[in-house]
């Protein structure tokens, strides 16, 4: 579901790298942070028509998140920040529900760290106390929409895990050259997504570069660190 050139764990590798970089920035500001093991299983509503699109029920995901938050509380932490590497709308709404459920059960300050564009697309209230909104990461210079396993995501993987990108295939893949109407059709999911992107990617993988990926990760890590630091300051007032 991430094309013939990227690994099935792409949506875990990318946010893990972002968090590692954000943790370094936070440490430089005197904020110590722990990165817990990544949450591998989630909701794949849009991409469920593709192989290697593993998923769990939203209710199972919420309960597992709440259990993990309980363990984090036992370790003495008071603030938890969740970051998503997967753009599926139902997946991200479920993350927010897991954050709310975990907060109610544990009393911890738990927030979903995301940008305003995604929150708006999900129909969320930007003033929701369980959200920590950050500035958008630096955009990629793409002529057409590039949203899944294309130039953007492939560039990040080329920077983060170059050995996991199949270069022999990546360079041969043609750009989908899609616009907003195509994206709307693709987001209907299942056979609609499979019909629009039979090879699993939406964008231009051949245009990707490790340099662009490094630039994006640095910018996105800065955004995450800023949002986390701002949240901590607000809660300590």
């Amino acid at each position: 579901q991430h094309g013939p050139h990227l690994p099935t764990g792409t949506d875990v590798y990318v946010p893990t790298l972002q968090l590692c970089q954000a943790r370094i920035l936070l440490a430089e500001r005197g904020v110590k942070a722990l990165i817990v093991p990544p949450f591998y299983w989630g909701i794949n509503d849009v991409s469920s028509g593709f192989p290697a699109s593993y998923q769990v029920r939203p209710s199972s995901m919420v309960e597992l998140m709440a259990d993990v938050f309980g363990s984090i509380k036992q370790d003495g932490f008071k603030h938890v920040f969740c970051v998503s590497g997967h753009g599926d709308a139902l997946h991200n709404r479920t993350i927010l529900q897991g954050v709310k459920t975990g907060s109610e059960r544990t009393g911890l300050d738990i927030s979903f760290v995301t940008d305003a564009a995604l929150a708006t697309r999900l129909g969320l209230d930007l003033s929701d106390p369980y959200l920590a909104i950050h500035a958008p990461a630096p955009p990629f210079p793409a002529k057409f929409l590039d949203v899944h396993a294309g130039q953007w995501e492939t560039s990040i993987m080329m920077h983060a895990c170059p050995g996991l990108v199949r270069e022999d295939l990546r360079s041969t893949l043609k750009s989908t050259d899609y616009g907003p109407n195509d994206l709307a059709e693709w987001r209907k999911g299942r056979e609609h997504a499979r019909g629009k992107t039979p090879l699993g990617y939406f964008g231009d993988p051949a245009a990707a570069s490790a340099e662009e990926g490094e630039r994006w990760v640095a910018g996105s890590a800065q955004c995450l660190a800023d949002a986390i630091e701002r949240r901590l300051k607000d809660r300590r007032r």
Side-chain angles (χ1 to χ4, degrees):
Q1 68 120 322
H2 269 92
H5 61 299
L6 293 181
T8 58
T10 293
D11 287 348
V12 172
Y13 292 120
V14 170
T16 297
L17 179 61
Q18 289 176 270
L19 288 172
C20 287
Q21 294 295 319
R23 183 174 182 268
I24 293 173
L25 294 174
L26 288 169
E28 293 173 350
R29 305 174 190 183
V31 178
K32 294 182 179 180
L34 172 73
I35 302 174
V36 303
F39 192 97
Y40 282 91
W41 311 114
I43 315 300
N44 286 294
D45 192 36
V46 171
S47 61
S48 59
F50 294 93
S53 186
Y54 315 112
Q55 57 187 320
V56 299
R57 290 170 295 163
S59 58
S60 299
M61 182 171 161
V62 168
E63 288 301 317
L64 181 54
M65 288 179 67
D67 286 349
V68 173
F69 292 142
S71 299
I72 292 174
K73 181 179 181 179
Q74 290 179 358
D75 287 339
F77 290 93
K78 293 180 173 56
H79 307 277
V80 184
F81 301 90
C82 299
V83 175
S84 176
H86 182 42
D88 189 283
L90 181 56
H91 176 81
N92 287 285
R93 292 191 187 102
T94 304
I95 289 179
L96 183 59
Q97 184 56 54
V99 165
K100 292 181 178 179
T101 300
S103 298
E104 292 167 355
R105 293 183 186 177
T106 65
L108 294 174
D109 172 42
I110 309 174
S111 57
F112 178 19
V113 187
T114 188
D115 64 67
L118 177 59
T120 300
R121 177 163 70 86
L122 298 177
L124 305 180
D125 181 355
L126 298 185
S127 64
D128 189 318
Y130 295 103
L131 291 177
I133 301 295
H134 64 73
F140 275 77
K143 182 178 179 181
F144 296 95
L145 288 180
D146 191 281
V147 298
H148 183 70
Q151 178 183 357
W152 163 70
E153 209 163 23
T154 303
S155 292
I156 300 168
M157 286 299 295
M158 289 172 67
H159 164 59
C161 310
L164 298 181
V165 180
R166 296 191 61 181
E167 281 295 318
D168 57 326
L169 292 177
R170 180 191 71 81
S171 60
T172 68
L173 300 175
K174 295 182 179 180
S175 174
T176 53
D177 293 355
Y178 283 157
N181 291 336
D182 300 292
L183 179 59
E185 175 70 15
W186 183 78
R187 281 179 172 160
K188 292 179 182 178
R190 301 176 178 84
E191 68 275 9
H192 300 279
R194 194 74 183 265
K196 293 302 295 186
T197 58
L199 293 182
Y201 68 91
F202 191 126
D204 189 4
S209 72
E211 293 74 23
E212 283 192 351
E214 183 177 16
R215 177 182 64 86
W216 187 90
V217 169
S220 65
Q222 182 77 50
C223 293
L224 291 179
D226 290 347
I228 292 171
E229 185 180 32
R230 185 165 54 250
R231 173 87 174 193
L232 291 173
K233 289 181 179 179
D234 289 343
R235 289 298 179 272
R236 289 168 180 168
R237 288 174 181 172

